Amino acid sequence: VKVTEKFKVERYSHVMHIVSNVIGKFNNKMGMNNIDNCLDCPQGRWSKNTSLTRMEDCIKCPPGFYGNEYSMTTVFSCKPCPAGKFNSNYGLSNEYDCRDCSTGSSSNKGSTMCEPCVAGKYALIMGSSQCLDCPQGKYASSNSTYLCSNCPDNSEQNYNKTYCVCSEDSYNEKLDGFLDCKTCNETFTCPVNTNIETIVLKPLYWR
């Protein structure tokens, strides 16, 4: 609480009032003669103005933040929700009012919503502050993944970890979008991501 004017004389039609103006408080009753009669702006609200007469005149903390103190005098007194949590409402009063991000999503501190993990990344637990790259040998082909899938036998993840391709010395026997990697025989070579149409014959062999 900050006192901005102490013992200021205010004149009205037929009376005089001696008042002290404070910020972070309000007074909803007439005739109060002591600064202690002013009421605190509640948790989740703040005010930099004086002479407030209603609790509603105290401004709510914005979404993504909460205020766990009374008589806050600036919006910067509102605290951001921690990373991995979010808050889409105004005027929250406690960190526990910030909600955990669901699996497959994450958030930075002060967030009003969680962002889904992009393809190739995952978030296994609730309340994640970041999405992680799929580990080696796994992939995630869609957004909001909480668990990466295993690549089939004889295959490996692509650079973005969004799908799998046949490893070196194997080729995809399918051409219908499915992955079925077979081992190359001694008559041809198979670089990474080879399929039945792109296998390379060794010299002196034909097909």
Side-chain angles (χ1 to χ4, degrees):
V1 175
K2 182 178 180 181
V3 179
T4 59
E5 294 178 284
K6 193 171 185 180
F7 304 129
K8 172 187 173 184
V9 176
E10 290 186 350
R11 289 181 171 84
Y12 295 91
S13 59
H14 60 285
V15 295
M16 290 190 304
H17 291 270
I18 299 177
V19 298
S20 294
N21 285 329
V22 296
I23 59 178
K25 288 180 176 285
F26 70 98
N27 175 21
N28 58 1
K29 296 181 180 179
M30 297 289 293
M32 297 294 102
N33 60 1
N34 192 304
I35 191 174
D36 293 331
N37 295 131
C38 293
L39 303 175
D40 293 330
C41 282
Q43 292 175 314
R45 291 175 180 260
W46 64 277
S47 178
K48 64 178 181 179
N49 298 319
T50 61
S51 305
L52 302 185
T53 59
R54 304 180 308 152
M55 183 269 288
E56 289 77 11
D57 294 330
C58 301
I59 303 170
K60 294 180 179 180
C61 289
F65 292 77
Y66 66 95
N68 60 353
E69 301 175 17
Y70 293 95
S71 301
M72 297 189 300
T73 59
T74 170
V75 68
F76 298 110
S77 298
C78 300
K79 300 177 176 65
C81 288
K85 297 177 180 288
F86 75 102
N87 159 31
S88 57
N89 298 315
Y90 287 88
L92 297 191
S93 60
N94 196 292
E95 180 180 334
Y96 295 109
D97 293 323
C98 301
R99 298 167 55 190
D100 284 335
C101 291
S102 61
T103 57
S105 66
S106 67
S107 72
N108 297 319
K109 68 178 183 178
S111 293
T112 59
M113 61 182 296
C114 299
E115 296 294 334
C117 298
V118 298
K121 294 180 178 289
Y122 75 105
L124 179 60
I125 62 173
M126 296 181 63
S128 294
S129 60
Q130 62 178 332
C131 297
L132 305 176
D133 288 337
C134 287
Q136 186 173 359
K138 295 178 179 289
Y139 71 101
S141 59
S142 59
N143 296 340
S144 304
T145 296
Y146 69 91
L147 192 63
C148 300
S149 302
N150 290 319
C151 287
D153 292 340
N154 299 322
S155 69
E156 60 191 65
Q157 61 191 187
N158 70 329
Y159 177 78
N160 293 321
K161 304 171 180 62
T162 55
Y163 59 88
C164 299
V165 297
C166 290
S167 301
E168 187 176 8
D169 294 328
S170 63
Y171 67 98
N172 187 12
E173 193 175 51
K174 304 287 186 181
L175 294 175
D176 53 6
F178 291 96
L179 196 64
D180 184 14
C181 299
K182 302 297 184 182
T183 302
C184 289
N185 62 35
E186 69 281 358
T187 63
F188 50 85
T189 59
C190 298
V192 173
N193 198 21
T194 295
N195 61 45
I196 189 67
E197 292 183 335
T198 60
I199 55 177
V200 180
L201 283 171
K202 293 180 179 179
L204 306 179
Y205 289 94
W206 62 277
R207 57 184 297 203

